[in-house]
Structures are given as structure tokens and as C-alpha cells.
Amino acid sequence: MNVSLGGSPIESWMDADALRAFPEALADLEPYLGDGVASKKSRDSVAERDRWYQALGYEAVADAHHEWLPLIAWDCPESKNVEPRDVAWHGIRLPGWYKDRGLAGFRGEITMRKTVFLPSSDAGKPALLRLGTMNDADHTWVNGVLVGGRSNVYEPRDYPVAVGVLRAGANEIRMRLVVERPGGRVTPGKRMTLTIGDDVFDLSGIWQYAVTAEADRDCPFEDFVRWKPTGLYNAMLAPCFPYAVRAVLWYQGESNTGDRAMRYGDELKAMIQLWRVKWHQPDMPFLIVQLPKFDIDAIEDGGWPLVREQEWNVANELENVATVVTLDAGESNDLHPYDKKLVADRVFNAAMDLVYGRQAQPQPAVETIEVCGDLLRMHCVWRSRSDERIRSEGRRLMTLDGDAPQEIEFLWRDCATSARAEAWLDGCDIVARMTARRPDEVRYAWSNNPESGLICDGDGMLIPPFRLTLPTDDDKGIHA
């Protein structure tokens, strides 16, 4: 069963009784209680958003997706997309940030266009237009034919171009793009291409843009009542309890990386226990996908590594729970990782082990650390749920990119400073050279977007991020 909704916080998947242990969550729910209150708040917020778009010359289609259609005649889907009058065109390099062209505080509508020249051999053929991702809502035409539109920054603009649209020589691609608030972009690092059979045309580089409408305020956010505490539990999950399930796959956490990230582990344990009670399965397996790497829209405030840590710890604290490491599946410039298959393969491996008790690749993790003179040794072991023996014999650590481990750092708590450690791999150990002043903590991959020298075993299984307090001078070592 697919019971999911993007952007949802964990509190929306729990009932009021389970949330009594988290009074801040119930406080968030309080303003929405009462007959008709929540639905009115939702309607009012959508109406306010509608008014913002209408001021730009758009009208909303009456459907659940609140898509938008342009009112201006020259840009209607059924028109030939005639060029607007009295606008000034300028050059802009795409992909890139709008602020790089003096549009840092811009809100409104931009029209962008580019001409691509095609050989006669490609004329009339079907094609795939890929423009990456962008803020916020676009309509896109090729030679005056509407080929698609999206309304979310993380939705890939992959648009099929029908037979007969393309022609030999000049072909115009035009986007009418609404920017809802400052900080917009056509996402750097994403490919922009037109693919026709085996021919791939690069569309990155200089485009022309014109400001065709400007707003005097940010577009209001919709009040997503369904994301509030208990909302998705009551509306989506509770009706599923009569159905039999074998296990749960939990892929969530992005929306809990903010100020309340520290309580995520307790909430996740409470939610697992709640679901197990409601499904009358006290040992129902849970497979947790740890957050991948991500950078472009995330503040480096510790929230992402905190949630990753708690996702890992919950698997160690509760029976029949496994957490899958996916740092290498993420993308720094996309909340939605492109490599879905890698995530699926890791979860499949965990399911073979936890759910079906079959042989699977064991998961490596740092188990103990000890100070040996001027060196810190972090020892890794391999475990599986179906075979709890420590399995390190004949195994060794390496890095995904062949570089030295780049994500090991020391932390001094009294001054809240950290420094990258000189580190290398030695069989099953990660070794770091101690500093003159003894650190309080060692951390690995403790950032939103750890990339260089990620540590794995010979099967490509990554070790999870960790932070560990160093043993004192009187201690021989410490168990992770």
C-alpha cells in the first residue's frame, strides 16, 4: 500500500494520544480545532494565493492541483505564443540563479527564450525536452506549441515534444515562469537538453529573458492543513488498519530537520509503537531510509545530521527495525534523489534480512573507538539481523571515490569549534591523527551534504554517519 504525501512531518502520521508526549505538536494543532476551522483556514490561504496569481494575469483551473493558466492572450496555450510588446530582453546564463542577473529580490513573471538550430534530419521527429528544475511555476512552448508545465521547484521539467513540432533550422523554446519569492533559480548542476533519437543538443548557456509582470509581495503560502499533527493519520492511515501488512517502509525526515530535530528519534519510536499496536503486530518490521545528502535549500544548522543519527539509533533501540544508509544516493541540488534504484536496492537488501530472514549483505558500522598514543582508531564491524555475529574477518574499508576519508572531524565543545582530521583507512579501522589539544568528540559525515571520501566496504555498503565522545585518558576505549 502506498500511503504517503510529500513534505509531511512525522507528527501528521500520529494520533493525538501518541502526541501527548510532545506538547509542542499538540500546540501546533490547537488553532485548527473546531468544526470547520481547519477547512476555512485552508480555503482562505488558497484564495489569498489565487489573488496573488490573478494579479499577474493568471486564473486557477478548478482542480485539486491548483494549476494555473495564463489569461494574457499572447501566452495562452491555444495561441501561437506571440511575442509580448514593450518589454526589454536581456541575456541570462542558465542554469543559474536569478540573483546573478540583478533579480535577487524579484517576484513576478519572467519570460525566457532560446533558439536551437536543428539539422533537416531531425525535423518533425519526436523529442524529449529536459530543462532541469526551477522556481516556481512554468509553462513551456516549443515553436508556439505548449509542451508542458510544472508548479513545484523539485519537479523535473521533462517534456515530450510531439511529432511535427520541430523543424529544420531555428526552433524557439520559450518558458513563461512565475517566481513566487526572492531566491529563484534554474537549478545549477541540472542538465538542459533536447534529445532527438541519438542526437542530444545542449541548451545550457545564454538565454534571453524579459520581465513581463512584477509583484509587490511574496506569493502567500498555502496553509497545508493536511500536514498538521494527526492530519494524515486520521485521513490516510487509520482507514488502512483493517488491511494486512507485512512490513513498513518509512522514507521521511526532511520536514523534521528544523528546530525540533532533536526530538525526532523519540517521535519515530512513538510512531512505530503506535502503528504496531493499531495493526496488532507488536513485532511488525520497519525499514527506515536514512536521509540522503542535500544542500541547495537546507540551512547548515545540524538538523539533517541529527535526523540521520536518530534514524540510525532507533534501529538499534527497537527490535525489528533496520535503517538503510543512502548518502551516496542523494544530490546536493535536489531534495528528490534521481537514483531511486540505489535506494530500492538497499531497502530490498534490508528487507531480505529483516523481513524474510534470508542472507543479505551485512551493514558496516563503527562499533568501538580507542586512543592509541597520538592516533584515534575507530573500529568497524559488519552485522545483519538474521546473523548477529560480528563479521569483520577478511573485510576492509575503502572510499567510494578512492580519495582519503574527507569527512572525519574533531570537535571541542567548550569553544564549539571543529577541525577536519587527518584520517586514513587501515583494514577495518578508520585512523585519525590526534591533535595537540585533545578533542571532545569525533564526527563523520556530520553535515547536510557530505560528499568526499565517503567510507564503504568492498560491496559498496556505506557506514552510517556518527558522532562519538572520545574516551578519557583513563579509558581504554568506548563502544559506539
Side-chain angles (χ1 to χ4, degrees):
M1 293 187 296
N2 182 358
V3 185
S4 60
L5 185 66
S8 56
I10 192 171
E11 297 88 355
S12 65
W13 297 102
M14 302 165 70
D15 70 2
D17 287 340
L19 288 173
R20 295 193 197 285
F22 310 99
E24 301 97 330
L26 289 181
D28 290 342
L29 181 61
E30 186 68 28
Y32 295 84
L33 300 178
D35 290 342
V37 173
S39 58
K40 183 178 186 304
K41 284 181 175 290
S42 179
R43 288 194 307 272
D44 289 348
S45 71
V46 171
E48 185 64 20
R49 181 179 170 85
D50 288 356
R51 284 191 286 272
W52 189 90
Y53 264 85
Q54 288 162 357
L56 291 181
Y58 286 77
E59 63 182 0
V61 177
D63 66 10
H65 300 290
H66 298 291
E67 297 293 346
W68 295 88
L69 289 178
L71 285 173
I72 301 173
W74 65 263
D75 218 9
C76 286
E78 62 271 14
S79 79
K80 293 295 186 180
N81 197 15
V82 179
E83 184 171 306
R85 297 177 181 178
D86 302 323
V87 296
W89 292 93
H90 310 276
I92 185 171
R93 184 172 294 277
L94 300 181
W97 297 88
Y98 306 146
K99 64 182 180 181
D100 294 340
R101 294 301 301 168
L103 298 170
F106 179 77
R107 301 152 301 190
E109 179 190 86
I110 301 174
T111 297
M112 296 185 181
R113 67 185 185 186
K114 187 179 183 69
T115 299
V116 57
F117 292 89
L118 301 178
S120 58
S121 58
D122 286 329
K125 291 183 178 179
L128 178 62
L129 176 65
R130 284 186 164 166
L131 299 175
T133 60
M134 60 191 71
N135 300 72
D136 284 286
D138 76 294
H139 288 82
T140 298
W141 290 260
V142 175
N143 292 333
V145 177
L146 183 70
V147 295
R150 300 285 187 269
S151 59
N152 183 290
V153 64
Y154 297 117
E155 294 182 276
R157 271 56 175 190
D158 292 351
Y159 301 138
V161 181
V163 172
V165 173
L166 297 175
R167 52 186 177 236
N171 293 262
E172 186 190 66
I173 301 168
R174 184 185 291 256
M175 297 186 294
R176 183 180 179 187
L177 179 63
V178 175
V179 182
E180 294 183 349
R181 53 193 56 85
R185 65 176 186 264
V186 174
T187 305
K190 294 288 187 181
R191 293 190 66 195
M192 303 179 72
T193 59
L194 179 67
T195 301
I196 310 168
D198 294 330
D199 295 338
V200 180
F201 298 89
D202 184 7
L203 301 180
S204 63
I206 300 300
W207 287 57
Q208 296 295 309
Y209 82 91
V211 173
T212 44
E214 193 160 359
D216 58 3
R217 61 183 178 122
D218 290 357
C219 179
F221 286 101
E222 180 181 345
D223 193 342
F224 290 103
V225 173
R226 53 191 175 274
W227 287 353
K228 301 303 177 186
T230 75
L232 298 177
Y233 175 89
N234 290 325
M236 293 182 69
L237 187 69
C240 298
F241 291 144
Y243 294 91
V245 298
R246 180 72 179 265
V248 173
L249 168 59
W250 179 251
Y251 189 140
Q252 190 274 339
E254 299 91 337
S255 294
N256 287 90
T257 56
D259 296 339
R260 299 173 183 175
M262 278 295 296
R263 79 183 194 200
Y264 184 78
D266 290 334
E267 290 182 318
L268 183 54
K269 286 188 287 187
M271 190 201 74
I272 290 172
Q273 290 160 350
L274 169 66
W275 289 22
R276 284 173 168 175
V277 167
K278 294 299 183 179
W279 258 295
H280 306 288
Q281 295 188 62
D283 298 319
M284 183 166 64
F286 264 74
L287 303 168
I288 300 169
V289 178
Q290 196 179 57
L291 288 184
K293 65 181 181 181
F294 179 59
D295 181 45
I296 198 167
D297 293 323
I299 300 171
E300 194 70 69
D301 61 358
W304 279 71
L306 273 174
V307 169
R308 290 190 194 110
E309 177 186 56
Q310 291 170 84
E311 287 172 327
W312 183 259
N313 289 344
V314 166
N316 292 323
E317 294 167 12
L318 295 183
E319 293 293 326
N320 292 316
V321 179
T323 297
V324 172
V325 183
T326 62
L327 284 180
D328 53 336
E331 296 178 73
S332 63
N333 62 357
D334 203 327
L335 185 65
H336 300 156
Y338 179 78
D339 194 350
K340 304 292 195 296
K341 187 177 185 300
L342 180 58
V343 178
D345 287 343
R346 296 264 170 84
V347 175
F348 177 80
N349 181 70
M352 289 296 100
D353 185 6
L354 180 62
V355 182
Y356 300 105
R358 300 180 183 177
Q359 186 174 2
Q361 291 179 348
Q363 171 66 55
V366 169
E367 184 105 340
T368 58
I369 64 173
E370 72 177 307
V371 177
C372 305
D374 65 344
L375 300 180
L376 176 68
R377 282 191 170 269
M378 295 155 271
H379 186 65
C380 193
V381 300
W382 283 253
R383 292 184 182 272
S384 66
R385 299 285 166 158
S386 57
D387 182 0
E388 281 295 331
R389 293 175 300 167
I390 298 175
R391 310 200 304 182
S392 300
E393 300 78 7
R395 296 182 179 274
R396 58 186 294 269
L397 296 173
M398 58 186 66
T399 60
L400 280 178
D401 55 12
D403 200 355
Q406 298 292 320
E407 299 290 344
I408 303 291
E409 64 178 0
F410 291 130
L411 177 73
W412 292 264
R413 296 193 184 110
D414 61 350
C415 55
T417 59
S418 62
R420 181 67 57 83
E422 178 190 355
W424 60 93
L425 303 175
D426 181 18
C428 298
D429 291 351
I430 307 166
V431 185
R433 193 175 303 283
M434 293 287 283
T435 55
R437 184 184 178 212
R438 191 185 187 91
D440 300 302
E441 188 175 285
V442 61
R443 306 191 298 195
Y444 164 69
W446 201 259
S447 64
N448 293 349
N449 189 52
E451 289 189 288
S452 302
L454 294 179
I455 301 170
C456 64
D457 65 10
D459 295 319
M461 297 287 284
L462 270 68
I463 69 170
F466 62 80
R467 59 173 176 167
L468 297 168
T469 300
L470 266 65
T472 65
D473 290 333
D474 298 328
D475 293 332
K476 291 184 178 180
I478 185 170
H479 283 269

